[in-house]
Amino acid sequence: MKTPKLAYVVEDDRITAVITEFIVKKDLRYRAVQTFGNGQLAFNQLQEVVRTGGSIPDLILLDLNMPQMDGWEFLDAFGTLPLAQEEVRVFILTSSIQPTDIEKSTHYKEVKGYFSKPLGKVNVQRMKSLLWEASD
Amino acid sequence: MSTLLKQHPELAASITYNPVVVDFLQNSLTDGLLYWNLLLPTESWVNAAFWQTLGYSPDQVPADPAAWRACIDPTDLATAWQRAEVCAQDPSQDFDLVLQGTYREGSPAWLRCRGVVLRGDGGSASWLVGALFDVTKEKHKEAYAQEVATHYSSILSNQSVYILKTDPQGNYTYVNDFFYERFGWEHDLIGTSSLLSIVEEDRPKCLEVVMQCFQAPEVPHQVILRKPYRDGSIKSNHWEFKGILGEGGELKEILCVGYDVTLLLENLQRAQHLLDVTSQQNLRLQNFAYIISHNIRSHSANLTSLVQLLSEAKGKEQKTMFLQMLTTSTEQLADTIVNLNDIVTINNNVSKPKALRTLKTEIDKTLEALSVLIRQHHITVEVAVPPALTVTVVPAYLDSILLNLISNAVKYRALDRPAFIRLHAQATPGGVGLTVQDNGLGIDVVRYRLKLFGMYKTFHDNEDARGVGLFITKNQVEAMQGTIAVDSEVGVGSTFTIQFHENP
């Protein structure tokens, strides 16, 4: 498994963002985690690093319900970025239980996993195996 | 030769021409013969065929020559005698009448009697010879036909069914009483155009069905048409049109049978409306169920994670941090539950009592409540609402709607230019229209169209935006059967338009 470098946590709920950041660092062993309050802020940052050749995240944990730019809009915008898609894995991490959301997420090839909050031991284990498989 | 003819050779002479013919005439062709002395009414005679017709066997024939009179209704007998006398006086008169008699077994018999007056040499009438024909079967048929006709005519006139016919041009040729009663006013409809009695919008529909009658005659074509009833109300009638062909195969007439379906249609519309309302409610409830589960779940997820993290926390600093977050999370959960409760209350009170409110008064009250903020931010407020304009609303909802829209206009005011809020209202055909216009930050309506009134959607980086205001406003407006729409442009401002629906 490749050494995890940078993860984005795109999440409007501050507490959830802090918890997620904490777990991603502790359990997924990411050394750097950046949090964004909505999709727009994360997208702006991505655009910026693509343009300046900065550090591209290898994991994005994406919430769906967010102000300004929600998870779906972020995915649409993300698809337009000139990125080698395999580099960046997107996991949806949401409290949504709408069946349509899970179905919809399968239409985005960037989305490698759909996780329902909370980010407990089972979810962390699944993320680990997905990350491991993906980079195998 | 009969006794009678023996006694009266002149009579015998006058009718005896050919014995075979006489026998045929007397016994085979007729159901009986009657001889009646016009000079002596008590002297009369019938032949054996008469008695056989009435059901007597040859050995049962009464001995008395005048016994036949007892078998005939006395009134008919008197009528016959009077008629015979008339015929005796006037040779141009015919003797042809029906006598009611009695069969041997007691049931009524009808005998048609056609007679001829025999005259002596001096031209004086002497005898009436009557040929009798049993018409009982025909009488029964006639009576049955009459009964059937009465039966159907009673059905036709007592049922709520319209029956009419028109010629191929659509002019009435027959109209039943019931149709007259309901739509005939005081006019004679025959010969007038049937199209004229139908409401104008339905006339093309009627013509189309008439065309179908031409294209496919002899089969029913159905249509529902509206007609003004004589009391002015509009009645919907279900019709069956059928083109009837003449002998040459051309369309001769159109038979139309119809009945009133006004009540049925009204009930159908009511049911449809109920279904619409229910489907809409159902959709809202489903949406609401997802919102509830989502909002509760996001907090519960945080609480679960925090408890886990707290139990694994290393050091006092981490413990304090997680505990602090736990406290915040529980507070947020409590807030969410309060918000959800507000919304449940709206959704559960679809039939909350409405009351009449003067819109201007309510607006002034809301502006008064927000006056400190309005003054503090130097916002110009213009109110163009007729002082007498009233709305039928759930009062608490109107308060909440006004507060939400006006406080949003204050909250999202433009910072780089003098801010204004304009309230305008007027009576509209369906009720009252209210617009709340500002020149504030505006919303990208193209981008946020679907989310604008959604729950927990915020559109500006505003710290105290909860994302429930417009969601609640929309729910409240819709709970009162109203509508809310928004027109907005980023950097220009927003205009919210509410239509209050006034129930008739």
Side-chain angles (χ1 to χ4, degrees), chain A residues 12-20 22-23 26-27 38 40-41 63-71 73 94-101 116-121, chain B residues 287 289-291 293-295 297-306 308-309 312 314 318 321-322 324-326 328-329 332 447-448 451 456-461 463:
Chain A
D12 61 326
D13 184 280
R14 298 245 159 84
I15 290 180
T16 311
V18 172
I19 295 168
T20 308
F22 192 85
I23 293 174
K26 182 167 76 85
D27 295 328
N38 62 58
Q40 189 66 57
L41 299 172
D63 187 19
L64 289 179
N65 292 295
M66 287 179 293
Q68 295 219 29
M69 182 190 268
D70 69 16
E73 290 168 329
T94 177
S95 51
S96 164
I97 49 156
Q98 287 204 46
T100 49
D101 282 348
S116 282
K117 289 174 191 170
L119 186 48
K121 285 193 161 52
Chain B
N287 188 28
Y290 281 130
I291 289 169
S293 61
H294 176 262
N295 293 313
R297 276 176 59 85
S298 48
H299 292 299
S300 107
N302 279 351
L303 294 176
T304 310
S305 296
L306 286 168
Q308 179 71 30
L309 290 175
E312 295 166 357
K314 296 179 184 77
Q318 261 192 14
M321 180 181 80
F322 291 138
Q324 181 53 49
M325 284 162 70
L326 201 56
T328 313
S329 260
Q332 283 176 353
R447 187 167 157 196
Y448 295 121
K451 296 180 179 178
Y456 291 100
K457 304 290 181 192
T458 54
F459 305 97
H460 303 98
D461 283 324
E463 282 298 313

Side-chain angles (χ1 to χ4, degrees), chain B residues 155-170:
Chain B
I155 288 179
L156 293 188
S157 42
N158 287 308
Q159 295 298 305
S160 314
V161 177
Y162 313 120
I163 297 164
L164 52 93
K165 286 181 182 183
T166 73
D167 59 20
Q169 285 72 46

Side-chain angles (χ1 to χ4, degrees), chain B residues 29-32 53 110-114 131-136:
Chain B
L29 194 64
T30 68
D31 293 324
T53 301
W110 278 272
L111 301 169
R112 181 178 175 188
C113 182
R114 303 176 73 174
L132 295 156
F133 302 92
D134 188 348
V135 294
T136 309

Side-chain angles (χ1 to χ4, degrees), chain B residues 345-409:
Chain B
T345 314
I346 299 165
N347 281 296
N348 278 353
N349 287 280
V350 178
S351 55
K352 228 177 178 175
K354 288 185 177 182
L356 206 61
R357 285 287 183 274
T358 308
L359 191 54
K360 175 89 162 55
T361 313
E362 300 303 313
I363 289 172
D364 289 344
K365 259 199 286 184
T366 310
L367 290 172
E368 181 57 34
L370 296 168
S371 62
V372 174
L373 281 174
I374 290 169
R375 263 200 299 277
Q376 184 188 332
H377 299 301
H378 309 289
I379 299 169
T380 312
V381 177
E382 294 166 26
V383 180
V385 177
L389 189 65
T390 57
V391 282
T392 311
V393 290
V394 178
Y397 291 178
L398 179 64
D399 291 351
S400 158
I401 292 164
L402 291 172
L403 186 67
N404 253 316
L405 291 182
I406 299 171
S407 65
N408 269 353

Side-chain angles (χ1 to χ4, degrees), chain B residues 170-390:
Chain B
N171 298 319
Y172 291 116
T173 54
Y174 170 80
V175 170
N176 77 334
D177 289 349
F178 185 68
F179 188 83
Y180 257 121
E181 193 187 300
R182 303 201 79 183
F183 301 106
W185 304 283
E186 303 309 320
H187 306 107
D188 185 4
L189 289 172
I190 304 302
T192 65
S193 170
S194 55
L195 207 56
L196 294 179
S197 63
I198 299 165
V199 301
E200 211 164 338
E201 301 96 294
D202 286 359
R203 288 179 194 171
K205 217 160 79 176
C206 179
L207 284 174
E208 193 185 314
V209 180
V210 169
M211 286 313 294
Q212 288 171 10
C213 287
F214 275 93
Q215 282 154 13
E218 306 284 350
V219 287
H221 301 280
Q222 275 139 7
V223 65
I224 290 175
L225 300 170
R226 287 168 298 166
K227 279 177 190 290
Y229 185 45
R230 63 176 181 195
D231 68 0
S233 62
I234 301 289
K235 297 283 181 189
S236 294
N237 300 315
H238 179 272
W239 288 98
E240 203 169 278
F241 286 16
K242 201 183 211 178
I244 308 289
L245 296 180
E247 286 186 2
E250 80 292 350
L251 193 98
K252 189 180 69 180
E253 58 185 5
I254 296 166
L255 173 67
C256 314
V257 178
Y259 54 93
D260 195 324
V261 291
T262 310
L263 204 63
L264 198 72
L265 285 189
E266 279 171 5
N267 284 340
L268 210 64
Q269 272 164 4
R270 254 197 291 277
Q272 186 58 47
H273 175 71
L274 208 61
L275 192 68
D276 289 347
V277 169
T278 311
S279 315
Q280 212 181 7
Q281 262 174 9
N282 197 34
L283 206 66
R284 262 159 59 183
L285 280 176
Q286 198 180 35
N287 188 28
F288 182 66
Y290 281 130
I291 289 169
I292 286 190
S293 61
H294 176 262
N295 293 313
I296 304 278
R297 276 176 59 85
S298 48
H299 292 299
S300 107
N302 279 351
L303 294 176
T304 310
S305 296
L306 286 168
V307 169
Q308 179 71 30
L309 290 175
L310 193 60
S311 68
E312 295 166 357
K314 296 179 184 77
K316 200 177 174 200
E317 200 184 323
Q318 261 192 14
K319 268 202 173 85
T320 313
M321 180 181 80
F322 291 138
L323 200 60
Q324 181 53 49
M325 284 162 70
L326 201 56
T327 310
T328 313
S329 260
T330 50
E331 280 167 6
Q332 283 176 353
L333 179 60
D335 283 349
T336 299
I337 288 168
V338 170
N339 288 344
L340 291 177
N341 191 52
D342 288 350
I343 297 156
V344 171
T345 314
I346 299 165
N347 281 296
N348 278 353
N349 287 280
V350 178
S351 55
K352 228 177 178 175
K354 288 185 177 182
L356 206 61
R357 285 287 183 274
T358 308
L359 191 54
K360 175 89 162 55
T361 313
E362 300 303 313
I363 289 172
D364 289 344
K365 259 199 286 184
T366 310
L367 290 172
E368 181 57 34
L370 296 168
S371 62
V372 174
L373 281 174
I374 290 169
R375 263 200 299 277
Q376 184 188 332
H377 299 301
H378 309 289
I379 299 169
T380 312
V381 177
E382 294 166 26
V383 180
V385 177
L389 189 65
T390 57

